[in-house]
Amino acid sequence: TTTYQNAFSTIGAASGKWYVEMKVNGTANSANYFGVAAETECDYLQDNANVIGKSTKGFSISMASGDKRTDETNSSYGSVIADGDIFMIALDIDNAKVWFGSNGTWFDSGDPAGGSNEAFSSINTDYPYFFGGTVYTGGYTSVEWNFGNPSFTISSGNADADGYGNFEYAVPSGFYALCTKNLAEYG
Protein backbone atom coordinates (compact mmCIF):
# COMPACT_ATOMS: atom_id res chain seq x y z
CA THR A 1 0.00 0.00 0.00
CA THR A 2 1.07 3.58 -0.42
CA THR A 3 1.14 5.89 2.55
CA TYR A 4 3.11 8.68 4.18
CA GLN A 5 6.18 7.67 6.15
CA ASN A 6 7.77 9.97 8.72
CA ALA A 7 11.20 9.90 10.32
CA PHE A 8 12.58 12.27 12.94
CA SER A 9 15.91 13.03 14.57
CA THR A 10 16.65 11.03 17.69
CA ILE A 11 17.68 14.22 19.48
CA GLY A 12 15.21 17.03 20.05
CA ALA A 13 15.79 20.49 21.47
CA ALA A 14 13.65 22.62 23.76
CA SER A 15 15.80 25.76 23.49
CA GLY A 16 18.77 27.10 21.57
CA LYS A 17 19.69 27.63 17.90
CA TRP A 18 20.33 24.63 15.66
CA TYR A 19 21.54 23.98 12.11
CA VAL A 20 21.26 20.80 10.02
CA GLU A 21 21.67 19.78 6.38
CA MET A 22 20.08 17.08 4.27
CA LYS A 23 21.24 15.71 0.91
CA VAL A 24 18.50 14.70 -1.55
CA ASN A 25 18.94 11.48 -3.50
CA GLY A 26 16.26 11.07 -6.14
CA THR A 27 13.41 12.92 -7.74
CA ALA A 28 11.20 15.30 -5.77
CA ASN A 29 7.75 13.94 -5.01
CA SER A 30 4.82 16.23 -4.27
CA ALA A 31 4.24 14.44 -0.96
CA ASN A 32 7.80 14.91 0.36
CA TYR A 33 8.07 17.52 3.12
CA PHE A 34 11.03 18.30 5.37
CA GLY A 35 11.28 20.56 8.41
CA VAL A 36 10.72 20.59 12.16
CA ALA A 37 7.93 19.33 14.37
CA ALA A 38 7.08 19.62 18.03
CA GLU A 39 7.14 16.38 19.97
CA THR A 40 3.32 16.22 19.99
CA GLU A 41 3.12 16.52 16.19
CA CYS A 42 5.76 13.80 15.76
CA ASP A 43 3.60 11.44 17.80
CA TYR A 44 0.48 12.35 15.81
CA LEU A 45 2.21 11.92 12.44
CA GLN A 46 3.59 8.51 13.36
CA ASP A 47 0.09 7.31 14.31
CA ASN A 48 -1.89 8.96 11.51
CA ALA A 49 0.43 9.03 8.47
CA ASN A 50 0.36 12.65 7.35
CA VAL A 51 2.91 15.29 6.34
CA ILE A 52 4.87 17.60 8.63
CA GLY A 53 2.83 20.77 8.98
CA LYS A 54 -0.46 19.03 9.76
CA SER A 55 -0.92 21.26 12.82
CA THR A 56 0.41 24.56 14.13
CA LYS A 57 3.23 22.58 15.77
CA GLY A 58 4.88 21.50 12.50
CA PHE A 59 6.77 23.61 9.97
CA SER A 60 8.02 22.24 6.68
CA ILE A 61 8.75 22.84 3.02
CA SER A 62 7.61 20.86 -0.02
CA MET A 63 10.47 19.43 -2.07
CA ALA A 64 8.41 19.54 -5.26
CA SER A 65 7.22 23.16 -5.08
CA GLY A 66 9.24 24.97 -2.41
CA ASP A 67 6.00 25.92 -0.66
CA LYS A 68 6.16 26.23 3.11
CA ARG A 69 3.55 24.44 5.23
CA THR A 70 1.97 24.69 8.69
CA ASP A 71 -1.55 24.10 10.02
CA GLU A 72 -2.44 22.13 6.83
CA THR A 73 -1.80 25.23 4.70
CA ASN A 74 0.82 25.64 1.99
CA SER A 75 2.01 29.07 0.86
CA SER A 76 4.56 30.23 -1.69
CA TYR A 77 8.08 30.53 -0.32
CA GLY A 78 11.16 28.84 -1.78
CA SER A 79 12.15 26.80 -4.80
CA VAL A 80 12.13 23.15 -5.85
CA ILE A 81 14.65 20.95 -4.08
CA ALA A 82 16.12 18.54 -6.63
CA ASP A 83 18.28 15.43 -6.77
CA GLY A 84 21.76 16.17 -5.40
CA ASP A 85 20.73 19.38 -3.61
CA ILE A 86 21.68 20.00 -0.01
CA PHE A 87 18.72 21.34 1.93
CA MET A 88 19.42 23.51 5.01
CA ILE A 89 17.35 24.17 8.13
CA ALA A 90 18.10 26.73 10.85
CA LEU A 91 15.88 26.49 13.94
CA ASP A 92 15.90 29.25 16.56
CA ILE A 93 13.68 27.99 19.37
CA ASP A 94 14.60 30.90 21.66
CA ASN A 95 13.05 33.38 19.20
CA ALA A 96 10.40 31.00 17.76
CA LYS A 97 11.76 31.08 14.17
CA VAL A 98 12.78 28.65 11.42
CA TRP A 99 14.53 29.17 8.05
CA PHE A 100 14.89 26.88 5.03
CA GLY A 101 17.39 27.03 2.20
CA SER A 102 19.18 25.03 -0.44
CA ASN A 103 22.77 24.81 -1.68
CA GLY A 104 24.09 27.63 0.51
CA THR A 105 21.27 30.14 -0.12
CA TRP A 106 18.47 30.85 2.34
CA PHE A 107 15.03 31.13 0.71
CA ASP A 108 13.29 34.54 0.64
CA SER A 109 16.59 36.29 1.49
CA GLY A 110 16.51 34.69 4.92
CA ASP A 111 19.19 35.59 7.44
CA PRO A 112 19.24 33.26 10.47
CA ALA A 113 22.28 35.00 11.99
CA GLY A 114 20.52 38.38 11.74
CA GLY A 115 17.15 36.94 12.73
CA SER A 116 15.30 38.20 9.63
CA ASN A 117 13.15 36.91 6.75
CA GLU A 118 12.35 33.61 8.43
CA ALA A 119 9.93 31.09 6.94
CA PHE A 120 7.93 30.98 10.18
CA SER A 121 7.98 33.04 13.35
CA SER A 122 5.15 31.31 15.18
CA ILE A 123 6.83 28.31 16.76
CA ASN A 124 5.17 27.30 20.02
CA THR A 125 8.16 27.14 22.36
CA ASP A 126 6.35 25.03 24.97
CA TYR A 127 7.56 21.84 23.26
CA PRO A 128 10.86 20.26 22.23
CA TYR A 129 11.34 20.15 18.44
CA PHE A 130 12.72 17.43 16.20
CA PHE A 131 14.05 17.65 12.63
CA GLY A 132 12.34 15.31 10.24
CA GLY A 133 10.84 14.40 6.95
CA THR A 134 7.77 12.91 5.34
CA VAL A 135 8.05 10.77 2.23
CA TYR A 136 5.30 9.11 0.27
CA THR A 137 6.01 5.46 -0.34
CA GLY A 138 4.99 5.87 -3.99
CA GLY A 139 7.89 8.31 -4.50
CA TYR A 140 11.54 7.55 -5.19
CA THR A 141 13.29 10.08 -3.01
CA SER A 142 15.70 9.20 -0.25
CA VAL A 143 17.65 11.64 1.89
CA GLU A 144 20.75 11.64 4.06
CA TRP A 145 20.67 13.88 7.12
CA ASN A 146 23.73 15.71 8.38
CA PHE A 147 23.57 16.73 12.04
CA GLY A 148 27.31 17.38 12.00
CA ASN A 149 28.65 13.99 10.95
CA PRO A 150 27.69 13.55 7.28
CA SER A 151 27.22 10.18 5.65
CA PHE A 152 27.71 11.87 2.27
CA THR A 153 30.79 13.52 0.81
CA ILE A 154 31.14 17.24 1.41
CA SER A 155 33.68 19.63 -0.04
CA SER A 156 33.84 22.47 2.48
CA GLY A 157 34.06 21.15 6.04
CA ASN A 158 32.36 23.92 8.02
CA ALA A 159 31.96 23.61 11.81
CA ASP A 160 29.87 25.62 14.27
CA ALA A 161 31.40 28.32 16.50
CA ASP A 162 32.48 25.70 19.05
CA GLY A 163 34.26 23.65 16.40
CA TYR A 164 31.65 20.87 16.32
CA GLY A 165 30.14 19.42 13.18
CA ASN A 166 31.17 18.99 9.59
CA PHE A 167 28.83 20.75 7.16
CA GLU A 168 28.89 21.61 3.46
CA TYR A 169 27.77 25.20 4.07
CA ALA A 170 28.66 27.76 6.73
CA VAL A 171 26.74 27.39 9.96
CA PRO A 172 24.94 30.71 10.66
CA SER A 173 26.60 32.68 13.45
CA GLY A 174 25.05 31.75 16.79
CA PHE A 175 23.71 28.38 15.55
CA TYR A 176 25.08 24.99 16.51
CA ALA A 177 25.31 21.39 15.34
CA LEU A 178 22.65 19.19 16.92
CA CYS A 179 24.94 16.99 19.01
CA THR A 180 25.08 15.94 22.65
CA LYS A 181 28.08 18.15 23.39
CA ASN A 182 26.15 21.23 22.27
CA LEU A 183 22.89 20.19 23.94
CA ALA A 184 24.61 20.26 27.31
CA GLU A 185 25.59 23.89 26.73
CA TYR A 186 22.87 25.36 24.52
CA GLY A 187 19.84 23.06 24.73
Side-chain angles (χ1 to χ4, degrees):
T1 62
T2 55
T3 186
Y4 298 109
Q5 301 291 319
N6 291 281
F8 298 97
S9 57
T10 57
I11 297 175
S15 63
K17 297 178 179 183
W18 308 101
Y19 174 79
V20 303
E21 295 176 343
M22 177 192 78
K23 183 176 181 187
V24 177
N25 301 308
T27 305
N29 180 293
S30 62
N32 294 346
Y33 286 80
F34 295 91
V36 297
E39 181 178 34
T40 55
E41 176 151 306
C42 294
D43 292 341
Y44 173 83
L45 293 174
Q46 296 293 41
D47 291 340
N48 296 287
N50 211 308
V51 303
I52 297 174
K54 171 73 175 166
S55 75
T56 58
K57 296 181 188 91
F59 306 90
S60 65
I61 189 165
S62 165
M63 283 184 56
S65 67
D67 288 351
K68 61 184 180 178
R69 177 182 178 83
T70 191
D71 198 18
E72 289 191 277
T73 303
N74 286 19
S75 56
S76 181
Y77 174 64
S79 60
V80 172
I81 301 163
D83 183 25
D85 285 351
I86 296 179
F87 179 59
M88 310 172 314
I89 304 173
L91 172 64
D92 180 350
I93 299 172
D94 296 339
N95 294 297
K97 297 179 179 185
V98 65
W99 292 260
F100 302 117
S102 180
N103 301 321
T105 302
W106 295 103
F107 295 143
D108 199 28
S109 301
D111 181 10
S116 62
N117 296 341
E118 63 278 353
F120 296 102
S121 59
S122 57
I123 295 173
N124 183 330
T125 58
D126 294 336
Y127 304 95
Y129 279 81
F130 294 82
F131 293 87
T134 303
V135 295
Y136 191 68
T137 56
Y140 299 101
T141 302
S142 69
V143 297
E144 296 175 75
W145 286 93
N146 179 6
F147 298 100
N149 186 17
S151 60
F152 53 91
T153 302
I154 63 172
S155 60
S156 300
N158 293 289
D160 66 20
D162 286 342
Y164 299 126
N166 189 15
F167 297 99
E168 179 67 26
Y169 298 104
V171 177
S173 179
F175 286 75
Y176 296 90
L178 187 66
C179 66
T180 55
K181 290 179 182 180
N182 281 333
L183 281 179
E185 189 168 347
Y186 302 106

